[in-house]
Structures are given as C-alpha cells and as structure tokens.
Amino acid sequence: MKTSIATVSISGDLPEKLAAIAAAGFDGVEIFENDFLAFDGSPADVGRMVRDHGLEITLFQPFRDFEGMPEPQRSRTFSRAERKFDLMTELGTDLMLVCSNVSPLSLGGIDRAAADFRELGERAARRGLRVGYEALAWGRHVSDHRDAWEIVRRADHKNIGLILDSFHTLARRIDPDTIRSIPGDRIFIVQLADAPLIEMDLLYWSRHFRNMPGEGDLPVAAFMRAVAATGYSGTLSLEIFNDQFRGGSPKTVSVDGYRSLVYLMDRVKRAEPDVSIAVPDMPDRIEVLGVEFVEFTADEEEAAELSSMLTAMGFRETARHKSKDVALFRQGDINLVLNTERKGFAHSAHLVHGMSAYALGLKVQDANATVERAEALGAEVFEQAPGPGEIAIPAIRGVGGGVIYFIDAKSDLAKVWDIEFEPLKDVVPETGAGLKAIDHVAQTMAYDEMLSWVLFYTSIFRTRKTPVVDIVDPAGLVRSQVIGNEDGSLRLTLNGAENRRTLAGHFIAESFGSGIQHLAFATSDIFAAAAALRRNSLEPLSISRNYYDDLEARFGLEPKFSDRLRAENILYDRDSTSEYFQIYTPMFGEGFFFEIVERRGGYAGYGGPNAPFRIAAQKRRMGPKGMPKM
C-alpha cells in the first residue's frame, strides 16, 4: 500500500515541501492547488520536480462547488473542470478530488448530482483521467460518506469513484463500519487525519486543529479497519490542516506523518490479520518494565554540586566505572549515573546543553526488538563504539537529541552494573531517605514539539496518553500531557512551553533545547523523607504560607495536619479516594530540580493544581538574570 501526503500539510515553498516529503519516505504527494498557484513554474516543471524526487502525484485538489448547480453556473463548472483536466495532464496525474458543494446556489438531489458526475466521468474518460468525490462534513447537501457513495453508485461510471476522509466521517460521529459495505475498487483514495476532541464549528476545527493519526482523539484505527475490510489496496494519504504544522519544520512534520501511517497500518494489521495490507515487518509495541537509570553529564564543579544534593537526598555513590570518569549513585531501585568524561557523546551533550540528564535507560522485555520497532517507525538508532570491557547497549535518539538506552534480562545487558562498574570499598553506610523508585520523568520541550513526542512514545511503546492539562505559570501557560503504561512503572510528563518567559521556556532557552527538566522519586512515607532531608541539611523549596491557609480551608484539613505539611514545605492534593504529597528541591543548573512524591490510595495524577504555587516559589529563588539562587 502506497503512502502520500498533501502539500498543504507542511510548511515551506513547494520545492522545500517536496524535498521533505521524499526524505521522509513517502511514495507520493497530493498537490494542493494553492501550493501550485504560488509556484513560479509551469505544470510540467512541477511534474518533473515531483518525479525527480522519486515521488508521484497521487491527487490534484480541490475542485469545489461542482455538483447540483443551476444554469448558467452548471455550464461554467464543466468549463472549469476542463481547464483543470488540462492542468492535470501537464502535471502528470490522473486523479482529481471534487469536494461536496457548499455554495448557497447548489440544488439538492442525489439523482441530479449523479447525473452531473456521470457527465464529468465521460469527459474525464476521454483524457484517461479519474475523479473522486468527497463528502465534506459541512457540505450543503452532502455531508456523509454514505450519501457521497450513493451518488457515485448512481453515476455508475468507472472514472468516478469515492474519496474517503477520516476527519469528515469521524468528526460527524458517523459509524466507520458503514464503510465496510463499499466495494474497495470504487474507493479512489483514502485521506487520513486525526484531531483532538473539541466542541467547535466543524469547518474551523478542520482547518486549524487536524493532526497526524495517533496524535489526536478520533478513532482513526477503527476507520482504517473498516476501509481495509473493503479490500481497498490504493494509496493512504495524509491531509492535515494545522496551524502548528504550517509554522513548523517541514522535515519534522513529514517524518511524523510517515511514522503515523506506518504505526496506524501496523495496528490495523494486528487487529485485522486477514486483510491484505503491506506493512513493514516489526515487533509489536514494546512493554516497558520500568526506568533502569538516568544519566547526567557534568563537568567537575557541577558534578560536585550534584553529588552533594544527591547525598543530601539519601543517595550514596556505590560504584565507579572501570575505565571512565563515571559514578553510580543508588537508593532503593533508583540508579543515577554521573558522567564527567571529556570525550564521547556525553561530553558532546555537555558542550551543547551544559549539565543535563541527557540519557534515559528503560527496562524492556527485549532490547533488540525495541530498537527494531523504533527504527521501523523512523527513529534514529544511536551507536557509540564501546570501550574495552564495555557492553554495547541498544539505544535510539530521544527528546532534544538525548539518548534512550534499553536494558533487558535476555543477555548481559542486565549485568551492566557488575560488568562495567567497580564497587567502592569505602561506601558510607546508607541511611537513605526512603526513596524507592523513579515515579516519573518530566521532559520539557517547545509546545510545537509535543505532538511529535506523543506520537514517538505511543507508537514505539505500549503506553497511553492522558488529556492535555494547562499549567499556569505567572508568565504564561505550559501544556502538560502524560505518557504512561498500565502499571505505572513508566510515567513521562511532557511539558510544552509556549514562550521563554515561563520557567519551562527558560529551561529550553538556557539549555539550548528540549530535555529532562526534573525527576520525581517515589516514597511510601513523605514525612520520613522530609525529616531525612532536614537531617542532611537540604532545605526544600519554600512554599507560601498563604497556600497552606487555603489548603486547610479547601480540603477541610485538621490544623495539626496542615501545620505539619507547612513545616516541611509539602504540597498536597487529593481526590475522592486518594492523596498526593510533593516536596521539591531547589533548582540547579539552568532550572533542573528533583521532586519527592507519595501516592496514597492509588492517586493517578501529578498534583497539577499545585503547579502554579511550585512555579511561583521557584521563580522567587531565581536571580535577576534567571539564574537559580543556591
């Protein structure tokens, strides 16, 4: 099955768009009329340019306000169509899209529309061309693919077929299984788009908020399963109208688009194994068993500061790498690696981003299978020659150019700590702070990157996404969305900054890119953890007294309990059945910080209502130039 994308889906001029589309791996391209009109070249030039990129023109579109017009408008529509047929011949494409009429002059009636298409089919046939009819969700008389199909059926012409668009069907909540009865050979092309669930005008929703399959909330997989059941074997094309994409990188959006199609067809093939679908062979989505480690890169001064903070949080340096300046800190099931090497990728990451948590290690069932699936979905494999006695750990490039390593129990990977590291003989006995595991990893990025990383994580790993939550920073909004698995062993919070004045935006600007901004550690006793921090002279982030006065009134807390929270600077949230407790450390570097959390009663959130007060407290500690006060 061939893949295609409409030029309207990405930014840039026509040559830039074609280059990005070809590089992403698409087979073809829909030429959107405005992109052609803006290009200063002949139709033949465009056709050659497309073919020089190894692409084909799968569709020319759109042709508007055709069927059901009264005279003299009807005659004019056929004259317009003949002009477009001339253009298509020069371009080198045989298929044109006609969308359902929205003109107030148009007349209803399926037979009238069918007669118009029958005549158009005759004219197209004389030139060896085809015409596909699409029902717009806001069409004046036809807004349902079932009516569009009835018109095509009654037109009864081999050069007239149906075009299906997932947005137009799903936005109107039409059952996609109604597609299953349509003969697959009468469907000329299938266009795919997803979208977030928003209650708004259909036209405005469509023109500004579409996104790639898997990035939104529409049941695109169910739609595509129905299409596959018809026997359709033609092109799958993306038609995405999205303000972010129009201003984004054409390369990134094209790569995301191709990944979304491969991921979608992989899902459909697994759900409908009897249908004939050409999908790259790859393992199923990967189950993540937890976070094995987080690795920091730092220079000697930064490493000393970070080591001091980790020690105050109850971590102990337990081992050193046998041949590199790399230290291992442990507490509970948490492994933190501190890399001060002056060569290799960690050092390169430090030169670009400064002190950062540049690498994430995930525990999976099969590390090689994870890389195989990621590579099939367009992820960049990361390779660095191992040194003497080191293990080559399978890895891919992640957010902000960082690295995601994969550890499994099927090989020596699980023994990496024993093979590569030498235990320290004079380790200070661990007193600890009761920290047991990594609760969640918070990654900060520009808002227009968020959809890319949502698709990246959900297509490779067996995860699901939560709805987007708005986090209020005094300087603007930050959009937050969580990617996690069923048992909570993997929780990734993605925080999208819209401007650099927010704390998240400051982190991106000063760190020169997206990355991990904070780590949250889980404990079963937040008050014991707070006492340990106090014993170790680590002062937590100071929270406003006003916050606790409101907290007591809002939740009806006992004064002794709220006094206890206030004394330890613990933030608190709860729902009807569960509670959540949070402590934050001061920031260091360019805005990195740690969090300690306790979940009681199965609390599934992240203390979102507390975020504005945490951010305000963090900003109070920042100097006049945005640098943290230590």
Side-chain angles (χ1 to χ4, degrees):
M1 194 169 287
K2 293 183 177 180
T3 60
S4 173
I5 186 171
T7 54
V8 74
S9 304
I10 60 176
S11 65
D13 58 27
L14 190 56
E16 290 174 315
K17 293 184 181 197
L18 295 178
I21 289 166
F26 287 96
D27 301 303
V29 59
E30 295 182 20
I31 299 294
F32 204 76
E33 188 171 43
N34 283 353
D35 286 309
F36 166 72
L37 296 177
F39 179 69
D40 188 20
S42 70
D45 291 337
V46 173
R48 280 192 297 271
M49 188 164 53
V50 170
R51 291 185 289 275
D52 287 346
H53 280 292
L55 301 168
E56 63 177 289
I57 301 176
T58 54
L59 181 68
F60 180 73
Q61 67 131 328
F63 190 77
R64 302 184 187 277
D65 297 335
F66 167 71
E67 80 283 7
M69 296 295 279
E71 291 292 359
Q73 287 82 9
R74 183 177 186 275
S75 296
R76 292 174 187 163
T77 61
F78 280 100
S79 296
R80 283 195 296 118
E82 292 284 4
R83 293 281 296 273
K84 298 307 176 186
F85 287 165
D86 292 339
L87 173 60
M88 291 168 61
T89 300
E90 291 187 68
L91 283 171
T93 185
D94 73 335
L95 180 60
M96 180 173 74
L97 177 146
V98 175
C99 50
S100 58
N101 206 322
V102 299
S103 170
L105 299 176
S106 64
L107 305 173
I110 287 179
D111 286 333
R112 179 184 289 108
D116 287 345
F117 274 105
R118 188 178 304 114
E119 181 175 341
L120 189 63
E122 284 295 307
R123 296 183 182 218
R126 288 195 287 269
R127 297 167 177 257
L129 304 177
R130 299 176 300 148
V131 173
Y133 183 45
E134 173 190 71
L136 292 177
W138 51 90
R140 181 170 175 80
H141 300 292
V142 176
S143 58
D144 187 317
H145 68 253
R146 291 169 292 190
D147 292 332
W149 163 236
E150 184 59 21
I151 290 170
V152 169
R153 190 185 70 80
R154 293 192 194 185
D156 192 24
H157 197 289
K158 67 178 183 178
N159 293 68
I160 300 295
L162 183 66
I163 291 179
L164 292 172
D165 184 310
S166 62
F167 180 86
H168 294 305
T169 293
L170 300 175
R172 294 187 63 87
R173 296 179 171 84
I174 300 168
D175 183 357
D177 281 341
T178 56
I179 293 170
R180 291 176 180 264
S181 61
I182 301 172
D185 62 351
R186 304 304 299 139
I187 302 171
F188 281 1
I189 198 168
V190 173
Q191 295 177 319
L192 296 164
D194 205 337
L197 287 177
I198 309 172
E199 290 296 329
M200 64 169 55
D201 174 75
L202 285 173
L203 177 58
Y204 194 81
W205 187 20
S206 174
R207 287 291 177 261
H208 299 278
F209 294 98
R210 292 195 191 197
N211 48 35
M212 302 299 179
E215 292 180 341
D217 303 312
L218 299 180
V220 181
F223 173 92
M224 196 57 227
R225 287 177 63 183
V227 170
T230 69
Y232 175 76
S233 59
T235 299
L236 296 182
S237 193
L238 295 169
E239 185 190 42
I240 313 294
F241 300 92
N242 184 291
D243 295 344
Q244 278 182 229
F245 296 173
R246 290 187 182 105
S249 159
K251 177 182 177 181
T252 298
V253 175
S254 296
V255 168
D256 285 349
Y258 187 75
R259 174 180 291 138
S260 76
L261 286 181
V262 174
Y263 173 40
L264 175 64
M265 296 316 300
D266 180 61
R267 291 172 66 192
V268 172
K269 183 67 174 179
R270 294 180 192 281
E272 302 270 349
D274 295 332
V275 301
S276 177
I277 300 175
V279 185
D281 187 30
M282 70 181 88
D284 200 355
R285 287 200 303 166
I286 305 300
E287 186 71 48
V288 178
L289 307 177
V291 178
E292 177 68 22
F293 68 89
V294 176
E295 183 166 343
F296 294 84
T297 178
D299 60 24
E300 287 77 4
E301 183 178 346
E302 294 162 339
E305 181 184 330
L306 180 54
S307 297
S308 177
M309 179 169 284
L310 292 177
T311 301
M313 294 176 68
F315 287 89
R316 292 295 179 267
E317 184 179 353
T318 61
R320 300 285 300 185
H321 197 277
K322 293 178 179 178
S323 61
K324 294 181 177 179
D325 289 330
V326 178
L328 173 62
F329 288 77
R330 279 181 161 164
Q331 183 175 183
D333 292 329
I334 307 166
N335 296 307
L336 301 180
V337 178
L338 184 49
N339 190 325
T340 54
E341 278 285 289
R342 293 187 175 273
K343 58 183 178 180
F345 182 76
H347 181 59
S348 298
H350 184 267
L351 292 176
V352 175
H353 304 290
M355 193 288 298
S356 61
Y358 82 100
L360 181 66
L362 299 180
K363 291 183 283 188
V364 295
Q365 293 282 5
D366 188 323
N368 290 323
T370 306
V371 171
E372 183 183 346
R373 179 174 178 85
E375 189 172 17
L377 288 162
E380 182 182 349
V381 176
F382 174 79
E383 294 179 319
Q384 182 172 252
E390 291 184 332
I391 301 173
I393 303 177
I396 59 175
R397 298 297 290 267
V399 173
V403 181
I404 305 177
Y405 290 100
F406 303 112
I407 303 292
D408 63 27
K410 300 180 66 172
S411 61
D412 286 341
L413 294 173
K415 303 175 184 176
V416 62
W417 310 118
D418 299 324
I419 294 173
E420 294 192 10
F421 286 77
E422 191 73 46
L424 296 182
K425 297 179 180 179
D426 54 349
V427 176
V428 177
E430 181 178 335
T431 55
L435 310 186
K436 298 179 176 296
I438 292 178
D439 183 87
H440 60 273
V441 178
Q443 298 179 323
T444 297
M445 59 204 63
Y447 175 60
D448 58 13
E449 295 179 39
M450 276 187 67
L451 286 176
S452 295
W453 293 111
V454 167
L455 180 63
F456 177 86
Y457 286 123
T458 55
S459 63
I460 297 173
F461 305 109
R462 194 167 298 161
T463 55
R464 58 185 180 183
K465 60 191 177 187
T466 64
V468 174
V469 174
D470 290 340
I471 302 299
V472 179
D473 182 296
L477 287 180
V478 175
R479 314 288 184 178
S480 184
Q481 188 165 27
V482 177
I483 306 297
N485 58 7
E486 288 288 342
D487 65 5
S489 59
L490 177 69
R491 298 186 183 101
L492 304 172
T493 60
L494 310 185
N495 300 306
E498 293 186 331
N499 71 70
R500 64 177 296 164
R501 294 177 57 242
T502 62
L503 188 69
H506 169 86
F507 173 80
I508 296 169
E510 298 301 321
S511 300
F512 298 99
S514 308
I516 297 173
Q517 186 173 9
H518 91 262
L519 295 178
F521 303 124
T523 181
S524 58
D525 189 337
I526 194 75
F527 293 103
L533 299 187
R534 198 177 341 104
R535 286 194 305 271
N536 294 331
S537 301
L538 176 59
E539 179 185 348
L541 185 68
S542 179
I543 306 300
S544 163
R545 180 181 180 85
N546 296 329
Y547 165 81
Y548 293 99
D549 291 341
D550 175 72
L551 197 68
E552 185 174 316
R554 183 155 45 100
F555 289 120
L557 302 180
E558 290 293 329
K560 287 184 178 180
F561 181 64
S562 59
D563 286 344
R564 196 177 181 195
L565 294 173
R566 181 187 297 109
E568 303 289 5
N569 287 291
I570 297 173
L571 293 103
Y572 176 82
D573 189 36
R574 78 179 185 204
D575 55 28
S576 59
T577 60
S578 58
E579 299 175 292
Y580 191 61
F581 302 81
Q582 303 166 275
I583 300 175
Y584 290 94
T585 69
M587 295 185 297
F588 61 95
E590 294 297 346
F592 187 92
F593 56 95
F594 294 107
E595 178 185 5
I596 300 172
V597 306
E598 181 187 351
R599 299 175 184 271
R600 294 182 185 176
Y603 183 95
Y606 297 83
N610 292 326
F613 314 113
R614 179 261 300 173
I615 294 170
Q618 288 173 319
K619 287 196 167 185
R620 282 195 296 272
R621 289 186 63 97
M622 295 176 73
K625 295 184 179 180
M627 294 298 292
K629 298 176 184 175
M630 300 308 296

